[in-house]
């Protein structure tokens, strides 16, 4: 049976305008800092890798995997991006992913996009990066230690991002704090296992093929060859082919919202372009999802590359 990806992010209506505005203010400040820090740590040779990671994460996020109790989860990918590119570059990568999802697919609200960037892009990236670094410091640099560090980074990043979401829901009066934290952390403890396994698998693949790719941040792999871009995009588009197989079960936030009775607060988007990852004029349910996710994958790649290059030029011009 074919499925379409379920909604992944906080929709408009779950947070008050004041809380949503605070999220936008924090996200903008962090993005500005990320642009400056990324330029200091990376050069133009690393920009294609930013685009490839963004494309892969976008495609992978479209595949919800089943979790316990009729819930589903999906890769966030911020920990993986931070392990490869460093947390500041990961912030820009995840911003490109979240913005395309919100603007093109109406996946996540526009008013609350600041918090979606904060939760999945910034909090998840930094907690994942520092967890990976901490575990490696104590466990060593062996392959097993790196895989364990990657798993821990993925799991922790999901847990703290979900707890942050719970705090935002509580601050907006949507759900009591204790109930929100316990429910979100409980569900995402299982989803985080999937995040950890996928992150560890990706790091293991990189260790086998591009060990320089997991040294992190300023030593992230740099190459502007067409072959690197084609292979990287090819892998991302291959992942997109599996998007129709996404679980139709509610994701973690939707599951909690339904159980706690605030799912009805979700507001519809003021417009629709490619809603629910579909192309309006393609009737085949599998094909329409594949084409929509493939389009998004290419747009996210382009967006991340543009952001990276603009950051480099802006900083260079200011010197």
């Amino acid at each position: 049976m074919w499925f379409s990806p379920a909604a992944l992010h906080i929709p408009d209506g779950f947070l008050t305008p004041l809380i949503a505005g605070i999220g936008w203010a924090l996200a903008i400040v962090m993005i500005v800092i990320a642009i400056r820090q990324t330029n200091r740590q990376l050069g133009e040779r690393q920009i294609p890798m930013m685009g490839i990671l963004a494309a892969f994460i976008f495609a992978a996020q479209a595949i919800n995997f089943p979790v316990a109790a009729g819930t589903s989860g999906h890769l966030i990918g911020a920990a993986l991006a931070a392990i490869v590119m460093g947390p500041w570059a990961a912030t820009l990568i995840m911003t490109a992913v979240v913005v395309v999802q919100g603007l093109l697919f109406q996946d996540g609200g526009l008013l609350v996009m600041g918090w979606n960037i904060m939760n999945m892009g910034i909090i998840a990236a930094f907690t994942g990066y520092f967890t990976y670094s901490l575990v490696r410091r104590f466990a060593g640099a062996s392959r097993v230690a790196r895989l364990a560090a990657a798993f821990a980074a993925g799991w922790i990043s999901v847990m703290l991002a979900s707890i942050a979401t719970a705090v935002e829901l509580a601050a907006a009066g949507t759900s009591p704090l204790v109930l929100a934290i316990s429910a979100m952390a409980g569900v995402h403890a299982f989803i985080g296992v999937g995040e950890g396994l996928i992150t560890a698998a990706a790091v293991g693949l990189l260790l086998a093929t591009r060990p320089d790719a997991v040294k992190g941040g300023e030593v992230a792999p740099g190459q502007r060859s067409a072959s690197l871009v084609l292979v990287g995009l090819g892998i991302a588009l291959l992942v997109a082919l599996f998007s129709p197989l996404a679980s139709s079960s509610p994701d973690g936030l939707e599951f909690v919202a339904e159980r706690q009775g605030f799912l009805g607060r979700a507001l519809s988007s003021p417009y629709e372009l490619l809603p629910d990852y579909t192309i309006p004029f393609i009737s085949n349910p599998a094909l329409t999802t594949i084409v929509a996710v493939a389009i998004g994958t290419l747009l996210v790649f382009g967006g991340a590359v543009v952001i990276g290059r603009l950051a480099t030029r802006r900083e260079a011009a200011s010197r």
Side-chain angles (χ1 to χ4, degrees), residues 155 158-171 174-190 252-253 255-257 260 262:
W155 191 82
V158 170
M159 286 299 293
L160 292 187
S162 69
I163 290 173
T165 303
V167 172
E168 294 148 23
L169 293 172
T174 303
S175 176
L177 181 61
V178 174
L179 288 179
I181 289 180
S182 59
M184 289 293 288
V187 170
H188 286 84
F190 294 99
L253 176 58
F255 178 81
V256 171
Q260 295 195 7
F262 62 85

Side-chain angles (χ1 to χ4, degrees), residues 43-52 85 304-306 308-309 312:
E44 285 197 9
R45 291 176 62 82
Q46 283 80 29
I47 301 305
M49 182 58 78
M50 287 181 63
I52 291 169
M85 305 295 295
V305 169
V306 169
R309 287 183 173 170
T312 301

Side-chain angles (χ1 to χ4, degrees), residues 81-180:
I83 290 170
V84 177
M85 305 295 295
W88 292 112
T91 293
L92 300 182
I93 289 170
M94 297 305 298
T95 296
V97 172
V98 172
V99 168
V100 170
Q101 288 172 331
L103 293 180
L104 188 62
F105 299 99
Q106 293 73 63
D107 193 0
L110 300 180
L111 293 177
V112 298
M113 187 181 290
W115 282 117
N116 284 331
I117 293 173
M118 286 293 300
N119 296 335
M120 291 182 290
I122 299 170
I123 293 174
F126 276 86
T127 56
Y129 179 79
F130 286 119
T131 300
Y132 180 80
S133 300
L134 184 64
V135 173
R136 274 208 55 197
R137 178 177 298 178
F138 288 101
S142 68
R143 178 182 176 84
V144 173
R146 290 186 177 191
L147 295 181
F151 177 86
W155 191 82
I156 289 291
S157 68
V158 170
M159 286 299 293
L160 292 187
S162 69
I163 290 173
T165 303
V167 172
E168 294 148 23
L169 293 172
T174 303
S175 176
L177 181 61
V178 174
L179 288 179

Side-chain angles (χ1 to χ4, degrees), residues 187-201:
V187 170
H188 286 84
F190 294 99
I191 295 174
V193 173
E195 179 88 14
L197 291 174
I198 296 172
T199 304

